[in-house]
Short mmCIF file of all heavy atoms in Angstrom, two decimals:
data_model
loop_
_atom_site.label_atom_id
_atom_site.label_comp_id
_atom_site.label_asym_id
_atom_site.label_seq_id
_atom_site.Cartn_x
_atom_site.Cartn_y
_atom_site.Cartn_z
N ASP P 565 -34.22 16.11 -0.15
CA ASP P 565 -34.25 14.86 -0.92
C ASP P 565 -33.17 14.83 -2.01
O ASP P 565 -33.37 14.28 -3.09
CB ASP P 565 -35.62 14.65 -1.57
CG ASP P 565 -36.72 14.45 -0.53
OD1 ASP P 565 -36.38 14.16 0.62
OD2 ASP P 565 -37.90 14.61 -0.88
N ALA P 566 -32.00 15.42 -1.71
CA ALA P 566 -30.87 15.34 -2.65
C ALA P 566 -30.40 13.89 -2.73
O ALA P 566 -30.18 13.23 -1.71
CB ALA P 566 -29.74 16.25 -2.18
N SER P 567 -30.23 13.39 -3.95
CA SER P 567 -29.94 11.98 -4.16
C SER P 567 -28.56 11.80 -4.78
O SER P 567 -28.02 12.69 -5.43
CB SER P 567 -30.99 11.34 -5.07
OG SER P 567 -32.28 11.51 -4.55
N SER P 568 -28.03 10.61 -4.59
CA SER P 568 -26.78 10.20 -5.25
C SER P 568 -26.89 8.73 -5.59
O SER P 568 -27.57 7.96 -4.91
CB SER P 568 -25.57 10.46 -4.36
OG SER P 568 -25.65 9.70 -3.16
N LEU P 569 -26.24 8.33 -6.67
CA LEU P 569 -26.28 6.95 -7.13
C LEU P 569 -24.87 6.51 -7.48
O LEU P 569 -24.12 7.25 -8.11
CB LEU P 569 -27.19 6.83 -8.36
CG LEU P 569 -27.34 5.43 -8.96
CD1 LEU P 569 -28.09 4.52 -7.99
CD2 LEU P 569 -28.06 5.48 -10.30
N ARG P 570 -24.54 5.29 -7.08
CA ARG P 570 -23.19 4.78 -7.37
C ARG P 570 -23.21 3.26 -7.46
O ARG P 570 -24.11 2.58 -6.95
CB ARG P 570 -22.21 5.19 -6.28
CG ARG P 570 -22.46 4.53 -4.93
CD ARG P 570 -21.40 4.90 -3.93
NE ARG P 570 -21.65 4.27 -2.64
CZ ARG P 570 -20.85 4.39 -1.59
NH1 ARG P 570 -19.77 5.14 -1.67
NH2 ARG P 570 -21.14 3.78 -0.46
N LEU P 571 -22.19 2.73 -8.13
CA LEU P 571 -21.84 1.31 -8.10
C LEU P 571 -20.60 1.16 -7.23
O LEU P 571 -19.68 1.98 -7.32
CB LEU P 571 -21.55 0.79 -9.50
CG LEU P 571 -22.74 0.52 -10.41
CD1 LEU P 571 -22.28 0.37 -11.86
CD2 LEU P 571 -23.47 -0.75 -9.98
N ARG P 572 -20.56 0.13 -6.39
CA ARG P 572 -19.42 -0.01 -5.49
C ARG P 572 -18.99 -1.47 -5.42
O ARG P 572 -19.83 -2.38 -5.37
CB ARG P 572 -19.77 0.48 -4.09
CG ARG P 572 -18.60 0.43 -3.11
CD ARG P 572 -19.00 0.99 -1.76
NE ARG P 572 -20.19 0.34 -1.23
CZ ARG P 572 -20.17 -0.86 -0.65
NH1 ARG P 572 -19.04 -1.54 -0.56
NH2 ARG P 572 -21.28 -1.40 -0.19
N TRP P 573 -17.67 -1.69 -5.46
CA TRP P 573 -17.13 -3.04 -5.30
C TRP P 573 -15.77 -2.95 -4.62
O TRP P 573 -15.15 -1.89 -4.55
CB TRP P 573 -17.03 -3.76 -6.64
CG TRP P 573 -16.06 -3.17 -7.62
CD1 TRP P 573 -14.73 -3.45 -7.74
CD2 TRP P 573 -16.35 -2.18 -8.62
NE1 TRP P 573 -14.18 -2.72 -8.76
CE2 TRP P 573 -15.15 -1.93 -9.31
CE3 TRP P 573 -17.50 -1.49 -9.00
CZ2 TRP P 573 -15.06 -1.02 -10.36
CZ3 TRP P 573 -17.42 -0.59 -10.03
CH2 TRP P 573 -16.22 -0.36 -10.71
N SER P 574 -15.31 -4.08 -4.14
CA SER P 574 -14.02 -4.16 -3.44
C SER P 574 -13.05 -5.01 -4.23
O SER P 574 -13.42 -6.06 -4.75
CB SER P 574 -14.22 -4.75 -2.04
OG SER P 574 -12.99 -4.90 -1.38
N GLY P 575 -11.80 -4.56 -4.32
CA GLY P 575 -10.79 -5.30 -5.07
C GLY P 575 -10.82 -4.98 -6.55
O GLY P 575 -11.38 -3.97 -6.99
N GLN P 576 -10.22 -5.86 -7.34
CA GLN P 576 -10.16 -5.69 -8.79
C GLN P 576 -11.39 -6.30 -9.44
O GLN P 576 -11.89 -7.34 -9.02
CB GLN P 576 -8.89 -6.34 -9.35
CG GLN P 576 -7.61 -5.70 -8.85
CD GLN P 576 -7.46 -4.26 -9.30
OE1 GLN P 576 -7.78 -3.93 -10.44
NE2 GLN P 576 -6.98 -3.41 -8.41
N LEU P 577 -11.86 -5.67 -10.50
CA LEU P 577 -13.09 -6.10 -11.14
C LEU P 577 -12.94 -7.46 -11.82
O LEU P 577 -13.91 -8.22 -11.91
CB LEU P 577 -13.53 -5.05 -12.17
CG LEU P 577 -15.00 -5.10 -12.62
CD1 LEU P 577 -15.92 -4.94 -11.42
CD2 LEU P 577 -15.28 -4.03 -13.65
N ASP P 578 -11.73 -7.80 -12.30
CA ASP P 578 -11.56 -9.09 -12.97
C ASP P 578 -11.56 -10.26 -11.99
O ASP P 578 -11.51 -11.42 -12.40
CB ASP P 578 -10.27 -9.10 -13.80
CG ASP P 578 -9.04 -8.79 -12.95
OD1 ASP P 578 -9.20 -8.60 -11.74
OD2 ASP P 578 -7.94 -8.72 -13.52
N GLU P 579 -11.62 -9.98 -10.69
CA GLU P 579 -11.72 -11.05 -9.69
C GLU P 579 -13.17 -11.38 -9.35
O GLU P 579 -13.45 -12.11 -8.40
CB GLU P 579 -10.98 -10.63 -8.41
CG GLU P 579 -9.49 -10.45 -8.63
CD GLU P 579 -8.80 -9.87 -7.41
OE1 GLU P 579 -9.51 -9.47 -6.45
OE2 GLU P 579 -7.57 -9.82 -7.41
#
Side-chain angles (χ1 to χ4, degrees):
D565 295 343
S567 303
S568 62
L569 180 68
R570 68 176 180 178
L571 284 165
R572 183 177 54 78
W573 65 88
S574 177
Q576 296 296 319
L577 199 59
D578 57 1
E579 296 173 352

